[in-house]
Each structure stands twice: as structure tokens, then as C-alpha cells.
Amino acid sequence: MADADNNDIAQNARKYWSAEGYTPGGVIREVDYATQSGGLDPMFEGIKIVDTDTHITEAPDLFTSRAPAKWKDKVPQVKLDKDGVERWYVGDRNFGSMGGNVIRADNNKLLGRLAFPLLEQAHPGGHQLKERLQAMDDMGVYAQIGFQNSGVTQAGSLMSLGDNELALAIVQMYNDASADFQNASGQRIFNMAHLPFWDQKAMEAEARRCHDIGLRGFVLPDTPERVGVPSFMHDYWTGFLEMCEATGMPLNFHLNSAVDPNTLTWEGFQFEQTLSVVATMFSIGNAATLGNWCVSGRLDQHPKLKIGLIESGAGWVPFAIEALEHQFNEMLPRFSKTLNRRPAEYFRDHFWCTFWFEKVAPKILLETIGEDKLMFETDFPHPTSLYPGVQAHLKDVLGGYSYETQKKVLQDNATKLYNLPF
């Protein structure tokens, strides 16, 4: 296993969300919710819209309610810090905030910050099922693909606990909670599974267990070597990837966490200025994820592998593919006989991408990206979320397409990627 800076990776959970995003400030956008919460527009009647990137805030009792007696005091718990912000703790270790929650309980939206300091200030649909389903109905969304909100399950921090059994149990509790939420939702909310990928045998066993309990996919980092785990080039991953092929469970790369956009912003910026650039660059960073898989040869070894590039937008995709096509010609002469396909073919055969606020990508670039490859998301309840006005936006960007194409983008592509039961 590669060397890693244990002190640095131990802070992964705490640093998952910037502490400055929870300080006083920001601006409340008043939302005329009554006029923008009318459910599915008649244009899309018969389509079960799948929102392919949302975030389920981990409930404060998620771990304590599932932990056996020996771990009740050891699993993550929420504490109120002296600065008035609720954070996750494992023992006396700070595991970071409760995530991005900018939709207020009264349906208005906080701008310029990452969340309200207290969960009770935020929309209850962030973590409570009944209110979440109502918010989905108001948006005209039938199903949601969910991802973590806080950093409480970040691998580096769990690995640094010095108790592999506890670390594995925390991941399993998270996955069990996701399965419970999925079943209680009536198979409308599908949270992606986490894995103890620092332990090969435990990872493969947990992946099989996640499949058996009905979860629909996995979320992983693009560069696991950053926490001392072999890269995807290593045989360490082969058994797991073969299992993903056999079951049809996709990998999801949610943004590109290997990129630190904070290093790209100018010194002297205010928090909001930095946040604007950082949010943009995190999305574009998944071009590196696409490139890594295309040049690796891994996709030739696993021809049925499915990969979602999530919360990354879509407008950059045509350029990235065209650039990779050029680099294949100019930079990879020695690999021309070992890579079986071209970048455009790898994208066509393996990848799906998402859009939310964009207009250019769905309106103008859909044919170039591929109408079988694009999915819709809202990013609820995060700072960049498309909120409210979901149906108006979809009518604007997809209104010029046939019903068949609309159904592909809004339902069928997600159903294929995630093997959804409808």
C-alpha cells in the first residue's frame, strides 16, 4: 500500500466543508414557493423524473440508533460547539459539519454560505423522509439518487481511528440507513453506498452485501492513492470491478475530490468570491476522472462497467472528449495498440453525466454529448442547487425536443445507469 500522510488524511472529515461557510453572513433569497411548487408540468406527463444528484443529510441519530452497546459511545455523534455550529464527533475528534443545507425551513434560500449552523434551521426534507417526499412532489420529481452530505464517512478519517472494526461498522451503519431510507421511501430515494475501500477483502464483502440489501451503486474517490490505497490501475480493484460489471452496479465520481480548487483562487478573496471559483472548478475537475479511465486500459478489462460523473455539469464534456481524442493522437503513440477504443467510444460505452442550472449543454450540445448519456439533477439542498423552479427550467431547456428524448434525459438514462425498479 502506498505511503500517505496520516496526519493530513485524518482531517478529511473535518475539512470536507469549509468552516468559514458556517459563519454569520449570507443573504436570504425570498422564494415565492406557492407559485413554484406545482408538481410535474403537463409537458412531462407520464415521465418519472429522476433527480440524479441530491444529498441526504445524515440524521443526528443515524449511528447511535444502530450501534450495539459496545460502540454506543464510540460512533459518530452530533455536538453543538461553542461557536454555535453543530458538528459530528467521534470521541473528541472533530469530524466536521453536518453538510450543505441552505434551504431554510420556510423554503427560502441562504446565499453566500454553505449551510445554517443548526440543522433545525434548515429544511426538514434534508434528512426527514416525509418532508423530503413532499419536496420532491412539489418539484415534480419522482425519484432521487442520493449522496452523503457531511464528511462523517470520509475514508481517511475513519482509517485514522486506529480501530478497523469500528471504521467498518460505521460504514455498514451508513449503508444500512441508506437501505432503510430507500425502502421507507417506497423505492423513490436511492442513496449511494460507501465502502471500506482501505481493506480489499472488507470492501469486496461490503460491496456484495450492499447489492444484496438493494442499494443501487457506489460512490468512490477518483484517486484512492491519496489515502494510501492502491490506484485503480492496481489488481487490488479487479475483484470489485468485476462484481460491479456482473451486478450492473455503477461507480459514481461525485465531483473530483482529488482537485483542490482553493489553490487556484487569488489571495485576498472574500469567502463568497473563493466559493464561486471553487464550486466551478470542482465540477470541471471530473474531466480528469474521465481522462484517467480513458487512458488507463481499465475499461478494456471491464467492458460492462458503468460510471456516473455526478454534480459536474455537462457543457465541458464535448471539449474534454475532443481534447482527449487529440491527445490520443499526439501523446499516446506507444499505447495505440494496447487501448482498444477511442475516448469518444469509451464515453459512449461507459459514462453518464448530469446537468442542473445549465442551458447551453441541454439546449445546444445534447446531440454531441449523446441523448443516452445526459441526466438531470437538482443538487438539493446544496448551495448550488437548482431551487426552486425545476419545472420551468426543464421546459426551457428540453421543450424543443421530442417527448422520447425528454423521457430519456429525465428518466430512462438514470433508470439504465442505476437499475431502477421502474
Side-chain angles (χ1 to χ4, degrees):
M1 194 174 281
D3 291 332
D5 185 341
N6 290 331
N7 290 329
D8 186 48
I9 67 173
Q11 302 301 317
N12 284 359
R14 182 178 65 82
K15 295 179 179 179
Y16 190 74
W17 287 94
S18 171
E20 194 172 356
Y22 298 80
T23 57
V27 175
I28 294 295
R29 173 186 286 160
E30 298 290 337
V31 173
D32 186 3
Y33 195 72
T35 64
Q36 301 187 60
S37 56
L40 187 69
D41 189 272
M43 174 181 287
F44 306 118
E45 183 177 356
I47 297 177
K48 293 181 176 178
I49 295 179
V50 183
D51 179 351
T52 55
D53 172 55
T54 67
H55 298 271
I56 310 298
T57 304
E58 294 75 21
D61 67 346
L62 187 153
F63 301 100
T64 54
S65 65
R66 289 172 171 79
K70 67 176 182 177
W71 282 330
K72 283 287 185 183
D73 296 331
K74 295 184 177 181
V75 296
Q77 302 181 42
V78 175
K79 297 180 181 179
L80 180 62
D81 279 340
K82 292 180 179 180
D83 62 357
V85 178
E86 290 174 320
R87 294 185 177 90
W88 285 103
Y89 278 84
V90 176
D92 60 357
R93 284 268 305 277
N94 182 345
F95 263 53
S97 73
M98 300 193 71
N101 292 289
V102 299
I103 312 304
R104 203 166 64 179
D106 63 2
N107 295 312
N108 294 317
K109 185 176 183 180
L110 174 65
L111 308 179
R113 287 294 181 269
L114 299 177
F116 296 98
L118 303 177
L119 188 59
E120 67 181 19
Q121 297 172 281
H123 195 294
H127 69 287
Q128 295 179 2
L129 179 59
K130 180 180 177 181
E131 289 82 356
R132 182 57 160 247
L133 292 174
Q134 184 60 60
M136 291 164 61
D137 290 341
D138 291 349
M139 286 187 266
V141 165
Y142 178 79
Q144 289 186 333
I145 305 301
F147 293 87
Q148 75 279 1
N149 204 346
S150 76
V152 70
T153 56
Q154 285 294 292
S157 294
L158 293 179
M159 292 165 65
S160 71
L161 291 176
D163 187 334
N164 287 336
E165 187 181 8
L166 174 60
L168 172 59
I170 289 172
V171 172
Q172 291 177 326
M173 290 176 206
Y174 177 89
N175 290 334
D176 287 341
S178 295
D180 291 344
F181 209 73
Q182 177 177 316
N183 292 328
S185 76
Q187 301 298 313
R188 291 182 63 188
I189 300 174
F190 304 89
N191 218 27
M192 295 294 101
H194 289 202
L195 293 171
F197 60 84
W198 57 86
D199 181 320
Q200 184 184 29
K201 290 184 178 179
M203 172 180 68
E204 292 178 0
E206 181 62 10
R208 288 190 293 270
R209 192 183 77 90
C210 288
H211 174 263
D212 292 343
I213 63 176
L215 298 183
R216 304 288 168 160
F218 306 102
V219 58
L220 287 165
D222 177 53
T223 51
E225 55 267 42
R226 295 180 76 226
V227 295
V229 175
S231 82
F232 286 107
M233 290 293 288
H234 199 281
D235 283 343
Y236 181 96
W237 292 93
T238 299
F240 167 68
L241 296 177
E242 289 174 346
M243 177 242 148
C244 290
E245 282 190 287
T247 60
M249 294 181 75
L251 307 184
N252 292 271
F253 296 99
H254 183 271
L255 303 173
N256 185 333
S257 58
V259 178
D260 182 6
N262 288 286
T263 64
L264 305 176
T265 58
W266 292 355
E267 183 181 351
F269 273 179
Q270 298 290 318
F271 174 73
E272 294 91 335
Q273 293 170 300
T274 299
L275 185 62
S276 299
V277 178
V278 165
T280 301
M281 297 310 298
F282 263 133
S283 296
I284 296 174
N286 248 346
T289 304
L290 173 64
N292 286 337
W293 284 94
C294 285
V295 305
S296 69
R298 263 298 190 183
L299 297 177
D300 295 326
Q301 298 174 43
H302 304 284
K304 296 182 180 179
L305 193 65
K306 298 188 294 185
I307 299 174
L309 303 175
I310 307 302
E311 198 183 322
S312 298
W316 56 267
V317 170
F319 169 78
I321 294 174
E322 191 169 13
L324 286 167
E325 289 282 349
H326 180 68
Q327 307 309 342
F328 261 50
N329 294 335
E330 304 301 317
M331 305 295 180
L332 293 172
R334 292 192 300 112
F335 292 81
S336 61
K337 294 182 180 179
T338 58
L339 293 171
N340 296 338
R341 286 168 286 170
R342 301 283 302 186
E345 295 171 315
Y346 286 126
F347 182 81
R348 178 198 64 200
D349 296 342
H350 294 277
F351 292 91
W352 284 256
C353 60
T354 66
F355 78 96
W356 67 111
F357 60 86
E358 289 174 277
K359 295 184 178 182
V360 172
K363 274 188 173 182
I364 300 174
L365 300 176
L366 181 57
E367 183 177 351
T368 304
I369 295 167
E371 64 179 29
D372 297 323
K373 301 278 92 179
L374 187 63
M375 306 182 299
F376 170 68
E377 62 157 286
T378 66
D379 194 32
F380 181 90
H382 272 187
T384 71
S385 59
L386 177 65
Y387 173 89
V390 168
Q391 296 297 311
H393 183 66
L394 291 178
K395 286 180 66 178
D396 178 30
V397 299
L398 296 177
Y401 292 102
S402 68
Y403 182 85
E404 179 184 17
T405 296
Q406 293 170 354
K407 187 169 181 288
K408 282 183 179 181
V409 173
L410 297 176
Q411 175 183 326
D412 295 345
N413 295 342
T415 299
K416 181 178 180 180
L417 177 60
Y418 296 107
N419 304 304
L420 301 180
F422 50 82

